[in-house]
Amino acid sequence: PRAEQQSSGTFMAIAPWQTPDASALSVQLGSKLWVTSTDDSGEWAYAQLLQPPSGGAPKAAWVPRAVLQRAAYPVCSAFDAKGQAQGLSLVLGDLVHVYHREASGWTY
């Protein structure tokens, strides 16, 4: 995968992190975030909560990369990639990581 794909995608907070800094994002344990990039050190991720608190507007800001891990999603529909040049066959119960989503619905 390209470098930006390795640092972007859906992540989950594995620890809570609170900050009064307006340029940073506070997260709760288990929060899911969409990370678009990391800083040059790899220690900070620029992210947006996938489900902002009720009444809150979506906000993108910096969060420590150390409190995030890539989120895994269970496959909800089987897919047979047989005969395709690119693709991955999936069965119910497989877990996948999301690195990139296309507007067409394709997910990588």
Side-chain angles (χ1 to χ4, degrees):
R2 296 187 322 240
E4 73 242 20
Q5 289 179 332
Q6 293 176 7
S7 61
S8 67
T10 307
F11 285 75
M12 183 170 40
I14 56 172
W17 189 73
Q18 299 296 317
T19 179
D21 187 344
S23 67
L25 184 64
S26 294
V27 295
Q28 302 299 317
L29 175 66
S31 297
K32 288 194 177 170
L33 303 96
W34 182 259
V35 171
T36 56
S37 62
T38 57
D39 71 347
D40 290 339
S41 71
E43 293 181 15
W44 291 88
Y46 196 73
Q48 180 175 338
L49 288 170
L50 291 177
Q51 296 178 334
S54 38
K59 173 188 172 187
W62 294 100
V63 64
R65 179 65 183 83
V67 301
L68 303 177
Q69 79 176 21
R70 193 164 293 281
Y73 290 93
V75 169
C76 59
S77 180
F79 178 75
D80 184 2
K82 191 175 190 177
Q84 295 190 17
Q86 294 182 347
L88 175 67
S89 293
L90 300 168
V91 297
L92 294 176
D94 284 347
L95 294 175
V96 295
H97 296 278
V98 177
Y99 288 83
H100 179 78
R101 292 183 179 142
E102 293 286 337
S104 65
W106 281 98
T107 304
Y108 305 92

